[in-house]
Amino acid sequence: MKRKRIVIVLMNLFLIGTLILAGCSKETSNTADSVKIGITGPLTGSTSNSGIALKQGMEMAVEEWNEKEGINIDGEMLPVEMIFEDNQGQPSEGVSTAEKLFNNDNVDFLIGDAFASSVTMAVMELASQYEKPIMSGEPVSSAISEKIEKDPEKYKFFWKGNFSSEAYGEGAYETIKTLIEDGDFEAENKTVAFVVEDTDYGRSNVAEAQKLFEEDGWEQVAFETVEVGHTDFYPQLTKLKSLKQDVLITCFTAVSSGVALVKQFNETSVEALHLAIYYPIRPEFMEQAGEDANGLIWEPISYQPELIEKQKEFEEKYAEIYGDEGNADAAQGYDYMNNALSAIEAAGSLDSEKIVEELSKISREGMLGIYEFDENNQTVKAGPDFLPVPAAQIQDGKDQIIWPENIATSEYEPQPWIK
């Protein structure tokens, strides 16, 4: 009987010890030694140039935070750790890399997707599953904002880090409307054509322009879509030449597509006012397109280091670190990372609820403008008081702002291919 009691006591002590160790193990596993930020974006594939620049801008921001000892979390200064996973610009890869970052790397905050709207549309579905903060980067598709607005409870942990695509479409329409009103361009037939990449990004960016042109009595004579990275535009341009549209609007994320389109546009002598969305933002576009780029109107010209002192300082630091010119993608990456880390700092915690609460209140001046979220759809606001969407024209190999007029650096020059 005595031996039995001893066995029972030993078993109880063993059980208590096991529970204590389990508790200690759990406490240890929950004690963070860094603030982990995961990112999913394209480091290979046709849009890798933008993905790499985004990554480099984010690295610069992380380095600056770590130089000042990181972030105070629950009274302890923790360094920032950044983990960037390549998704090749594919939605399926975007989801798998995001899940890896959550499950294997146990990130506290995900920037996903950093670049593509189509990938973001897939990644945002993970927000309710993991209940950790997710913020997209460059994606602008209005479909993202619409999903949030329709089901705010499901997407309460997801935030759209850039403005919606309506801003691009409205900017394109208003730029052309201003040129007509100022007598700089005459639209004889009020006809417009579109050539865009077949993605959420491509379609959504011109959707608002389509609506505004239609409301203004314009006729849409063509809407051509191509795959990301497409470079043979002769079939589309041959068709457009026969249609004689007054205005052509193009939108691609791959620089190779933009360069090919511009060169083939001039080669085939298509006569139309040409406005491009996004691809001329990359510095290599001007280098590769050469003289064929002269006269092109494009948006958004958000990065102007020769005019904005803060951006000039960023440009110099970027060049010193990476041995290359700065660009809008890098500046945006820098801003997105700073927005995420600022929200975490304000929360003083890695608790997801506290972080998204601070995201909702964020109002900070970034490299490209003022970042604030619309409470109705958790989307960054666009406009002159927030993130502006000005239009530029390439004149003698240099970008000049031509719209809106209050910030213009030059007047519009007639495009050389319009007779």
Side-chain angles (χ1 to χ4, degrees), residues 258-259 262 274-276 278-299 301 391-402 409-417:
V259 171
V262 166
H274 185 192
L275 185 147
Y278 182 75
Y279 56 88
I281 205 171
R282 296 291 308 168
E284 61 267 29
F285 169 77
M286 197 95 74
E287 299 168 6
Q288 296 173 20
E291 292 184 0
D292 288 315
N294 279 325
L296 181 67
I297 301 170
W298 68 276
E299 63 173 19
I301 181 167
Q393 184 180 35
I394 301 173
Q395 300 175 357
D396 296 324
K398 293 184 178 181
D399 291 319
Q400 298 288 350
I401 302 172
I402 62 168
T409 60
S410 176
E411 295 183 352
Y412 165 79
E413 294 182 355
Q415 293 182 323
W417 51 83

Side-chain angles (χ1 to χ4, degrees), residues 210-227:
Q210 287 178 286
K211 184 184 80 172
L212 291 171
F213 277 114
E214 181 181 357
E215 290 175 352
D216 196 20
W218 287 61
E219 178 188 0
Q220 178 177 300
V221 294
F223 190 88
E224 300 288 316
T225 60
V226 297
E227 296 298 314

Side-chain angles (χ1 to χ4, degrees), residues 140-151:
V140 297
S141 173
S142 56
I144 300 169
S145 303
E146 290 166 5
K147 289 179 74 172
I148 298 169
E149 193 161 2
K150 288 178 181 177
D151 197 344

Side-chain angles (χ1 to χ4, degrees), residues 6 61 194 230-231 313 339 342 348:
I6 292 172
F194 298 87
H230 184 84
T231 56
E313 293 173 3
N339 289 344
S342 294

Side-chain angles (χ1 to χ4, degrees), residues 69 100 184 247 294 341:
E69 299 184 356
K100 173 191 175 297
D184 294 322
V247 172
N294 279 325
L341 297 179

Side-chain angles (χ1 to χ4, degrees), residues 43 58 79 95 114 125 133 141 158 190 202 211 213 275 281 284 306 325 340 359 380:
L43 299 180
M58 292 177 186
V95 171
E125 297 304 316
S141 173
F158 180 85
K190 295 189 75 172
K211 184 184 80 172
F213 277 114
L275 185 147
I281 205 171
E284 61 267 29
E306 68 282 358
E325 292 182 17
L359 273 176
V380 162

